[in-house]
Structure formats: C-alpha cells, structure tokens
Amino acid sequence: MLNVGLLGCGRISQVHADSITTHPRARLARVFDPIEESAVAVATRFGTEHSTTAEAILDDPAIDAVVIASPTPTHVDLLTRAVEAGKWVLCEKPIDLDVANVDACRERIGDLTSKVMVGFNRRFDPTFADIQARVAAGELGNLEQLTIISRDPAPPPAAYVASSGGLFKDMMIHDFDMARFFLGDVVEVTATGSNLVSPEIEEAGDIDGGVVVLRGSTGAVATILNSRRCAFGYDQRLEAFGEGGMFTAVNQLPTSVRFSGADATEVAAPYLNFFLDRYMPAYAAEFDSFVTSIEEGRPFSPGFDDGRAALVLAEAAGASLNSRATVEVSA
Ligand SMILES: NC(=O)c1ccc[n+]([C@@H]2O[C@H](COP(=O)([O-])OP(=O)(O)OC[C@H]3O[C@@H](n4cnc5c(N)ncnc54)[C@H](O)[C@@H]3O)[C@@H](O)[C@H]2O)c1
C-alpha cells in the first residue's frame, strides 16, 4: 500500500484525492494547504488527516509519496524538499514558469529527478493513448503531420491569467507534451497568436488564441491550435496523418442520444464540459501509472525531463511570437 500525501487543496487536488482514495493500492495519508479551511474541506470529504504545514507530510517517514497540486510557483520548492526527504513525487504541470528554475532544480537534485513524474494527464486519455500506441507501432508508416486542437469553453478570470504564466506555459503546455509524445524531439518552433476574445487577457499581457507549428527531428510537423473561448464547449481533438492513413480523435459526448425534429436533425447534447469531465479517466490512469511504476521499478513517463522539455517549447513559442521568427530548439 502506497501512503500518499497531497500538497495543495484546490481545484485539481480534489481530482487527485479522488484518484488516490479509489486506487486499490494507495491510501491518502494526509492533505496540506496553508489555508486551513481548504485543508479541512478536502480532508473531510476524503476521510483523512489535514495539516497547514508541508512538514507534517514531508517529515513523516510513513508517507511514501506526494502529489503536488499547489500553485505553479510553489512546485520547485516542494518537489525539491519532497525528493530530498525520500518521497516519490507526482507533480502537476508545469514544473515551473521558467526553464532556468527547472535547470537549477535539476542541478540540485541530480539523480533524484528519477523520483518525479509530471502530471501531463492527457497522455493517459484512453483515446489519445490508443492512437499514440498505434502510430508508434507503425500503423501509419512514418507519422507526417499531427494536428492538436485544444479550446477552452470560456476565458479564465483575469487574475488567473496574470499569474498563470500565459497561454503557452499554462494551457498549451499540455499540447506541447502531446506533440512530443507523438513526434519525439522537436527542433523548431514557429508561433503566432491574437487577442480576439478577451480585453482582460490583453491587458494582462497575454494572447487569447495561439497557433504553433513544431518541426520534429524526423521531419514530421505538428500544428497546435488553442483558444481561450469556444462557443460549442470544450474542444479537444487530434489528428495523426501518415502514408498509411489517418487517425482522428473527436470530441466526446456524455451519451450517444440524438434528437431529430422539424427544425434540426441529429441534435446531440453538449460536449463533456471541461477538463474535470473530459479527462477524469485520464487522471485516474495517470495515478495508476505512478503507483505501478513505483511498484515495478519502472521509470516514470512522463518524467522530470519531459516536464522540462515541454516548458522549453513554451518558452520558444513565446520567443517566436515576439520575434515573428522560427526559433530552433535542442532536445
Ligand atoms: N493537469 C491538469 O489538467 C491541471 C488542471 C488544473 C490545474 N493544474 C495545475 O495544478 C496546479 C494547481 O492548480 P489549481 O487550479 O488546482 O489551483 P487552485 O488555486 O484551485 O488550488 C491551489 C491550492 O494550493 C494552495 N496553496 C497555496 N500555496 C501553497 C503552498 N505553498 N503549498 C501548498 N498549497 C498551497 C491554495 O491555498 C489552493 O488551495 C497548477 O500548477 C496548475 O497548473 C493542472
């Protein structure tokens, strides 16, 4: 049984608490949040202990692993202290908002980076995982083009945007990782973007729509489309194209019910609303991979270096947007 501590008791932590408490070989030993009310709420809901200091978890030898679900600027500090205390770590994305901080962390913890898994949950989405496995098995021949579409239903609050790191580091970071999952190493990044959705996002100095083209070392090209607003809901699609054909992943519906009448035909319910609905099975599979990798002594995937590589692409996209030029990156 893996004893797990949860660091942070906000929005995504409740998903992790659910994955931990429903996993047959894990136990939620304690949760921590500096805001006591938040810690108590999650502890009560999931039937465990709470604390308002990280030490209550990091210094407890009975706790084997931690899930870091606190705000991004706290990740490097908590991750460093956790691995130095001998814990396994599942750290939410992104590791940090600055590659230099990630490199300083890597320098400090050295081989202990192997104790860190990064929460790129979309790799564990059954649909995307199936397509990636079949592409990797050669069903398309060489992968030539990958298209990833990721649009949120509505813009986040302006305050969130200001501290989130922006579209590339907060939102598209998932898609950078997905592109690497399919393409392997990326060598070139070309980005453009716009402010067509939210004046608040523009005032915060960020874009609200972005398109990025990545060239992989094999010559395959990935195109990523992001928007902070989508009239028809949470738009999560993917297409992989090669000599042998194409795989497509379409948006998911809560049921297969269709209505046809005088004014319209084949009317379906809205798509699964947002990430908490769309990716619930992926979060559970991600946590299962964390537990199983520890049990079987297998390296985590995605690991610390995958977290760094996605952030490198996000920084390169920012540089390309500003310079209006293609930016070269190295693995
Ligand atoms: N993988 C995904 O799909 C996904 C989705 C949402 C958020 N995230 C990531 O998860 C992280 C948290 O996001 P969120 O939306 O849950 O944020 P949130 O603001 O809802 O929750 C963060 C919680 O952490 C607490 N906190 C503040 N400082 C802390 C500290 N030093 N140590 C521990 N806890 C602290 C806050 O009080 C709050 O309860 C971010 O890094 C975000 O990028 C990932």
Side-chain angles (χ1 to χ4, degrees):
M1 188 65 72
L2 191 76
N3 283 310
V4 185
L6 181 59
L7 307 178
C9 292
R11 208 167 44 141
I12 199 67
S13 72
Q14 319 236 1
V15 175
H16 292 302
D18 189 66
S19 299
I20 298 164
T21 50
T22 55
H23 195 284
R25 302 186 305 284
R27 191 176 78 88
L28 184 58
R30 187 178 285 274
V31 301
F32 152 61
D33 198 290
I35 299 175
E36 185 160 26
E37 202 185 337
S38 306
V40 169
V42 174
T44 306
R45 182 174 158 203
F46 292 95
T48 188
E49 305 294 318
H50 80 275
S51 66
T52 51
T53 66
E55 289 73 25
I57 289 176
L58 299 178
D59 296 345
D60 183 346
I63 294 183
D64 310 297
V66 297
V67 175
I68 299 179
S70 51
T72 301
T74 66
H75 290 181
V76 161
D77 172 55
L78 291 172
L79 177 161
T80 303
R81 290 160 64 197
V83 294
E84 288 180 346
K87 316 290 185 206
W88 302 102
V89 174
L90 172 57
C91 179
E92 260 308 340
K93 51 54 62 178
I95 298 179
D96 195 81
L97 297 177
D98 188 338
V99 174
N101 291 339
V102 176
D103 285 345
C105 175
R106 190 163 64 162
E107 181 78 16
R108 171 165 172 169
I109 67 176
D111 291 345
L112 292 176
T113 53
S114 65
K115 300 202 75 155
V116 180
M117 178 167 164
V118 175
F120 287 125
N121 55 293
R122 293 184 195 176
R123 287 192 186 211
F124 300 93
D125 174 71
T127 302
F128 298 154
D130 183 46
I131 296 177
Q132 191 275 341
R134 294 176 66 176
V135 170
E139 284 192 45
L140 295 181
N142 289 329
L143 177 66
E144 295 168 4
Q145 297 176 342
L146 179 75
T147 308
I148 302 169
I149 298 173
S150 181
R151 301 187 177 107
D152 284 353
Y160 174 87
V161 172
S163 61
S164 69
L167 186 113
F168 293 140
K169 290 182 179 175
D170 175 53
M171 180 176 171
M172 200 181 284
I173 193 102
H174 280 291
D175 307 304
F176 290 130
D177 180 67
M178 186 58 64
R180 290 189 64 256
F181 191 34
F182 277 81
L183 258 58
D185 291 339
V186 170
V187 295
E188 268 179 26
V189 181
T190 313
T192 188
S194 52
N195 288 94
L196 299 172
V197 173
S198 158
E200 288 82 16
I201 291 179
E202 186 165 16
E203 276 162 30
D206 193 17
I207 52 172
D208 50 37
V211 178
V212 173
V213 178
L214 306 172
R215 178 178 296 279
S217 58
T218 61
V221 172
T223 307
I224 302 171
L225 291 92
N226 273 187
S227 174
R228 289 285 194 185
R229 180 213 54 215
C230 177
F232 51 88
Y234 194 37
D235 190 17
Q236 300 287 296
R237 290 175 285 152
L238 180 147
E239 177 184 295
F241 174 86
E243 187 182 7
M246 175 175 76
F247 287 107
T248 53
V250 300
N251 281 316
Q252 293 184 5
L253 296 159
T255 72
S256 61
V257 174
R258 298 285 185 281
F259 169 73
S260 296
D263 299 326
T265 51
E266 295 285 335
V267 178
Y271 296 134
L272 290 178
N273 178 44
F274 204 11
F275 61 89
L276 295 179
D277 297 318
R278 172 64 183 80
Y279 288 117
M280 271 316 266
Y283 293 114
E286 171 186 79
F287 184 70
D288 181 60
S289 171
F290 180 65
V291 174
T292 309
S293 299
I294 293 169
E295 289 169 344
E296 297 179 357
R298 277 194 282 115
F300 291 130
S301 181
F304 185 94
D305 286 343
D306 294 305
R308 179 186 181 278
L311 190 61
V312 166
L313 297 183
E315 284 198 353
S320 172
L321 178 75
N322 291 333
S323 65
R324 296 177 177 259
T326 295
V327 172
E328 286 184 19
V329 289
S330 53

